[in-house]
Amino acid sequence: MTVNATLASPTADAQIGHHLTQLNPGGIVSAVLGRFNGWQIALTILLLLVAYDQFKYIWNKGPIAGPAWKIPFIGPFLQSMDPKFSIYYNQWTSGPLSCVSVFHKFVVLASTRDMARKIFNSPAFVKPCVVDNAYKLLRPNNWVFLDGKAHVDYRKGLNGLFTRQALETYMPGVEEILDIYFDRWVKLSQEEHKGDYIAYMHQFREIMTALACRTFVGHYMSEETVKKIANDYFLITAALELVNFPIILPFSKSWYGKKAADMVLDEFAKCAAKSKVRMAAGGEKDCIMDFWVSMMLESEKYRERVAAGEEVPAHEKPSMLIRDFSDFEISMTVFTLLFASQDATSSATTWLFQIMADRPEFLDKVREENLAIRNGDVNARVTLDQIEKDMPWTRAVVKETLRYRPPVIMVPYVAKKDFPITDTYTAPKGSMVIPATYMALHDPEAYPDPDSFVPERWITGDADKQVKNWLVFGTGPHYCLGQTYAQAALMLMIGKASMKVDWTHKITKDSEEIKLFATIFPRDDCLLSFSQRAQKA
């Protein structure tokens, strides 16, 4: 006789088997889903995703300052479409560390000097980053995206482009551009606008692009091309806002920026090809590209001699052996130098001219010492040594402008791995970690009365001793290579302008309000009028 496995009747076994079939997981899911329509399912999934997004934000936020809740998915994206300096300032003052979350990016902001310096000096945990679109505009294999030893080795090869010998070579080109643009500004104000005030922010962007191109590529680029780059670079800046849509849509800011970037890269590659031909023929170096190409040629000749079995004397070995770079690699690198400098120097120039117009007592001091070192000849050239040693007031107003209105108020990094910033908070891997420079430069302990423009602090005060707070050009392994050049160029510019032109500023309610456009500018775009300065007989 067959043993009944359930110790029950055959009828009961059949009923139990039927119920067990109904308990099949697939059957349960089908039954449950059958009770919902498509909209209900979609709503349920959406609510689950919102809950997960919120939970992840709160988990990442931990004990640091920041909004208690996140707008689902997008966070403060709409607010960031027209960023306000006051919003960033309030975020910084909310705590040493604070956070926001935009789209898929969790962002940690560090506001104090020590927190900022820790991030700048932690290459094992973080690396510089930019918005997603930057990889598409600058190209993903650009050297600025390198990390660790690869970045250090590449950077060593660029250090030779900013030696004192190289900087001395660039200065005549800077003066050449300044003379051209000062005349243009006078004609623009007096002839085209009959002395009326106009916004000069865009004019300052153009002159800084022209200065950069003259320094980077010499005379390999036509004036028309320089002007086109200056005009189109505005599109590149707009495409690289700190918060942006993650994909490039046709006819969007990112799309126009990508087209402009492609054009700039193509033009710089043409310049690289011309430099290689000229340097191989023994031409004289007069720009960054020439110095770099010459280093490549010297390195190649040295390697050829060694490969041929020659014992090359140590003193004939190049100070830095570098590999040969393609025209496009050179172009990408020069483009990043423009990317790093153009917006920052345009910002500094705009504030510098506005501040000097509003504080003529300091401009008079600048003019007096510039005339003195030139023995009264406004057209006389000056050396880098004179710029650095014999122009204390010019140096002071430039340094104070960079402190008072720092062009770069924060620098984005990304955490390569979980980053224990403090004993109580660890930034998660993949988050953006952004040290602020503004707060360190407005620290009342380092710079008394920090919200006032006080150039005397660089002459009779101890501002130069506040090296830990001087974060204008960053610090650590990614500090700005061109900081000496940038300050010298600004000093040369305002010094020559003080002697050759006069300008006045129309003060508006927005003149001192800060507008964010990659860097910072006066909200009214700096309304000025230039005229030719009368020269004494």
Side-chain angles (χ1 to χ4, degrees):
M1 183 176 67
T2 302
V3 178
N4 188 330
T6 63
L7 301 177
S9 70
T11 302
D13 275 345
Q15 292 173 341
I16 291 172
H18 172 73
H19 289 304
L20 288 174
T21 300
Q22 294 301 309
L23 289 174
N24 181 295
I28 294 174
V29 172
S30 298
V32 171
L33 292 179
R35 297 176 181 269
F36 294 91
N37 60 36
W39 284 108
Q40 290 172 319
I41 294 172
L43 179 60
T44 300
I45 293 173
L46 177 62
L47 291 174
L48 289 172
L49 290 174
V50 168
Y52 172 76
D53 186 55
Q54 204 67 241
F55 171 79
K56 186 178 180 182
Y57 166 71
I58 294 171
W59 178 267
N60 286 338
K61 175 181 179 296
I64 66 176
W69 301 92
K70 175 189 175 182
I71 298 175
F73 308 123
I74 66 171
F77 172 68
L78 297 178
Q79 173 182 291
S80 68
M81 296 298 288
D82 181 22
K84 299 290 192 300
F85 176 80
S86 59
I87 293 176
Y88 283 111
Y89 187 84
N90 291 338
Q91 186 90 31
W92 296 328
T93 56
S94 68
L97 292 176
S98 59
C99 68
V100 294
S101 183
V102 184
F103 288 124
H104 61 295
K105 290 290 186 183
F106 181 73
V107 183
V108 178
L109 295 100
S111 59
T112 67
R113 178 198 70 183
D114 292 338
M115 288 289 182
R117 290 185 66 86
K118 181 170 185 177
I119 294 167
F120 279 128
N121 289 289
S122 297
F125 289 98
V126 297
K127 64 179 181 180
C129 74
V130 283
V131 295
D132 294 341
N133 290 338
Y135 294 93
K136 303 178 182 73
L137 270 64
L138 302 179
R139 301 300 191 272
N141 55 337
N142 197 301
W143 80 281
V144 294
F145 302 130
L146 296 177
D147 192 28
K149 186 176 185 301
H151 175 268
V152 171
D153 290 345
Y154 204 113
R155 191 181 178 94
K156 284 180 180 177
L158 299 178
N159 285 335
L161 308 180
F162 296 94
T163 63
R164 292 194 63 80
Q165 177 191 2
L167 293 178
E168 285 280 11
T169 304
Y170 308 148
M171 288 300 109
V174 172
E175 295 215 48
E176 174 189 321
I177 295 296
L178 292 177
D179 288 337
I180 292 171
Y181 274 83
F182 290 165
D183 287 342
R184 287 183 183 176
W185 293 348
V186 170
K187 291 178 181 177
L188 180 65
S189 288
Q190 299 304 315
E191 296 180 14
E192 296 183 31
H193 292 274
K194 309 304 180 185
D196 287 344
Y197 292 96
I198 61 170
Y200 261 82
M201 186 264 267
H202 295 285
Q203 299 300 320
F204 293 140
R205 288 180 63 86
E206 182 178 330
I207 191 176
M208 297 318 297
T209 302
L211 282 176
C213 288
R214 177 64 181 85
T215 302
F216 298 158
V217 302
H219 292 98
Y220 297 124
M221 184 178 286
S222 70
E223 185 177 333
E224 292 74 20
T225 301
V226 170
K227 188 170 181 63
K228 179 171 176 53
I229 290 176
N231 290 335
D232 287 6
Y233 197 86
F234 193 87
L235 302 173
I236 298 173
T237 301
L240 295 176
E241 292 170 330
L242 182 60
V243 178
N244 214 323
F245 200 71
I247 60 174
I248 295 180
L249 299 174
F251 308 107
S252 64
K253 289 182 181 179
S254 300
W255 186 81
Y256 286 112
K258 176 66 164 55
K259 289 174 68 68
D262 290 345
M263 179 274 293
V264 175
L265 285 166
D266 182 58
E267 292 297 336
F268 281 153
K270 293 176 184 176
C271 294
K274 295 175 184 177
S275 178
K276 286 182 176 180
V277 171
R278 184 165 167 267
M279 290 301 100
E284 185 177 345
K285 302 186 289 288
D286 78 339
C287 65
I288 280 178
M289 194 170 280
D290 286 345
F291 273 87
W292 197 15
V293 169
S294 294
M295 290 168 60
M296 295 177 206
L297 294 173
E298 291 169 6
S299 297
E300 182 59 26
K301 288 178 181 177
Y302 173 80
R303 282 190 288 266
E304 288 175 354
R305 293 172 67 185
V306 171
E310 181 181 349
E311 291 188 12
V312 183
H315 70 276
E316 294 184 18
K317 180 180 178 181
S319 58
M320 176 60 65
L321 281 173
I322 62 175
R323 66 176 175 84
D324 185 51
F325 291 84
S326 70
D327 295 347
F328 194 72
E329 284 179 311
I330 296 173
S331 173
M332 285 193 297
T333 302
V334 173
F335 186 24
T336 58
L337 296 178
L338 180 64
F339 171 67
S341 66
Q342 204 277 345
D343 288 308
T345 54
S346 298
S347 168
T349 300
T350 305
W351 288 109
L352 185 56
F353 275 89
Q354 174 171 306
I355 290 168
M356 288 298 94
D358 295 343
R359 297 165 176 82
E361 67 275 18
F362 296 128
L363 184 59
D364 288 341
K365 292 179 182 295
V366 169
R367 181 182 300 113
E368 181 181 346
E369 70 180 14
N370 273 267
L371 284 169
I373 65 172
R374 293 175 172 84
N375 296 316
D377 182 0
V378 298
N379 296 310
R381 300 302 198 216
V382 293
T383 65
L384 186 60
D385 273 346
Q386 287 176 306
I387 292 173
E388 293 181 335
K389 298 176 182 178
D390 301 330
M391 298 163 64
W393 273 103
T394 309
R395 175 182 181 273
V397 298
V398 167
K399 295 277 283 190
E400 182 67 353
T401 299
L402 293 173
R403 184 208 66 81
Y404 176 64
R405 290 291 185 261
V408 179
I409 59 174
M410 49 191 171
V411 183
Y413 283 76
V414 64
K416 299 188 288 186
K417 55 185 175 181
D418 288 350
F419 180 18
I421 304 178
T422 69
D423 293 338
T424 59
Y425 184 73
T426 296
K429 177 182 178 180
S431 59
M432 291 182 72
V433 184
I434 305 180
T437 62
Y438 187 91
M439 300 302 283
L441 293 162
H442 286 74
D443 180 352
E445 293 186 11
Y447 308 107
D449 193 14
D451 294 324
S452 295
F453 184 84
V454 186
E456 296 95 331
R457 71 174 87 241
W458 299 97
I459 297 176
T460 58
D462 65 352
D464 274 315
K465 297 179 181 178
Q466 311 303 323
V467 292
K468 286 190 175 181
N469 285 72
W470 184 248
L471 297 179
V472 172
F473 298 96
T475 187
H478 293 277
Y479 75 91
C480 176
L481 279 170
Q483 59 179 300
T484 301
Y485 164 78
Q487 292 176 90
L490 289 170
M491 289 173 63
L492 189 57
M493 174 185 287
I494 199 64
K496 282 180 71 71
S498 71
M499 300 181 299
K500 303 196 77 170
V501 293
D502 287 322
W503 66 98
T504 54
H505 174 227
K506 180 180 180 180
I507 299 175
T508 73
K509 63 181 179 59
D510 291 326
S511 294
E512 287 295 327
E513 291 296 314
I514 293 174
K515 175 177 72 173
L516 293 175
F517 185 68
T519 48
I520 65 173
F521 295 91
R523 184 162 288 280
D524 63 5
D525 289 342
C526 190
L527 301 172
L528 300 175
S529 179
F530 281 83
S531 60
Q532 193 70 46
R533 182 172 180 77
Q535 304 301 325
K536 293 182 180 180

